[in-house]
């Protein structure tokens, strides 16, 4: 049984109200919503893929392309924002040359903006490479990305 079939088996066929939970489960399992996953979900729920895409794109949290080898989760919560996260986001966007939800052409990086990650006293906070990067300043970003690049190349 494929991962998608396994997820769908937990839900009632044809129940449109399960769309969002199913999309969440699939994204958690696969890292993104592939075209084939959307087709399977549409067939299971008896919904058109156009309608599913339409609803899914309404939510920022869904991705339609695979994440990079290193995925950065940048805190966009209030305290991190007050502590300068907007400038950190700008530095990351300029260094990587992509917007949130996109993946670099070389497949190394992707990033998203998140709600509070629970480390407000240490903000701005970014979770990447299986650890928290704290008290970030825009000037720290080139070195952080360079170290994460080495990590991505090991994957
Ligand atoms: S607001 Fe960023 S960790 Fe809480």
């Amino acid at each position: 049984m494929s991962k998608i079939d396994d997820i769908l088996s937990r839900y009632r066929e044809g129940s449109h109200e399960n769309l969002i939970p199913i999309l969440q489960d699939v994204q958690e399992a696969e890292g993104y919503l592939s075209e084939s996953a959307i087709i399977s979900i549409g067939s299971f729920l008896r919904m058109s893929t156009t309608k599913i895409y339409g609803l899914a794109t309404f939510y920022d949290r869904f991705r339609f392309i695979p994440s990079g080898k290193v995925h950065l989760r940048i805190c966009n919560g209030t305290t991190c924002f007050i502590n300068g996260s907007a400038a950190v986001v700008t530095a990351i966007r300029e260094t990587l040359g992509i917007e949130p939800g996109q993946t670099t052409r070389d497949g190394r990086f992707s990033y998203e903006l998140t709600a509070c990650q629970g480390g407000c006293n240490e903000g701005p906070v970014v979770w990447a490479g299986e650890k928290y990067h704290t008290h970030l300043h825009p000037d720290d970003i080139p070195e952080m990305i360079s170290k994460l690049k080495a990590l991505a190349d090991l994957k």
Side-chain angles (χ1 to χ4, degrees), residues 74-81 85 114-125 132:
I74 308 168
C75 181
N76 197 33
T78 307
T79 310
C80 281
F81 184 81
S85 64
T114 73
C116 175
Q117 297 183 20
C120 308
N121 293 338
E122 300 181 277
V125 167
Y132 283 106

Side-chain angles (χ1 to χ4, degrees), residues 6-138:
D6 182 40
I7 289 166
L8 294 177
S9 72
R10 297 180 221 147
Y11 292 92
R12 198 158 52 85
E13 214 169 330
S15 288
H16 292 193
E17 71 268 17
N18 290 325
L19 174 63
I20 299 301
I22 290 173
L23 293 176
Q24 283 170 328
D25 287 357
V26 169
Q27 176 153 296
E28 199 175 307
E30 308 254 280
Y32 75 110
L33 302 172
S34 66
E35 190 180 344
S36 65
I38 299 267
I39 291 169
S40 299
I41 294 166
S43 153
F44 181 78
L45 294 179
R46 291 184 217 107
M47 286 177 84
S48 74
T49 52
T50 312
K51 190 162 188 183
I52 295 176
Y53 274 115
L55 287 165
T57 50
F58 183 74
Y59 296 89
D60 286 348
R61 63 177 177 263
F62 294 124
R63 297 177 51 80
F64 302 95
I65 49 173
S67 299
K69 290 178 179 171
V70 172
H71 183 73
L72 290 80
R73 301 183 74 243
I74 308 168
C75 181
N76 197 33
T78 307
T79 310
C80 281
F81 184 81
I82 290 166
N83 287 323
S85 64
V88 169
V89 172
T90 300
I92 289 172
R93 182 171 52 234
E94 286 174 0
T95 305
L96 297 180
I98 55 170
E99 298 295 324
Q102 295 180 335
T103 300
T104 54
R105 277 180 191 273
D106 61 12
R108 282 180 173 132
F109 292 103
S110 56
Y111 70 95
E112 66 180 308
L113 306 182
T114 73
C116 175
Q117 297 183 20
C120 308
N121 293 338
E122 300 181 277
V125 167
V126 172
W127 170 261
E130 280 145 47
K131 70 173 208 172
Y132 283 106
H133 302 260
T134 57
H135 302 291
L136 286 171
H137 183 277

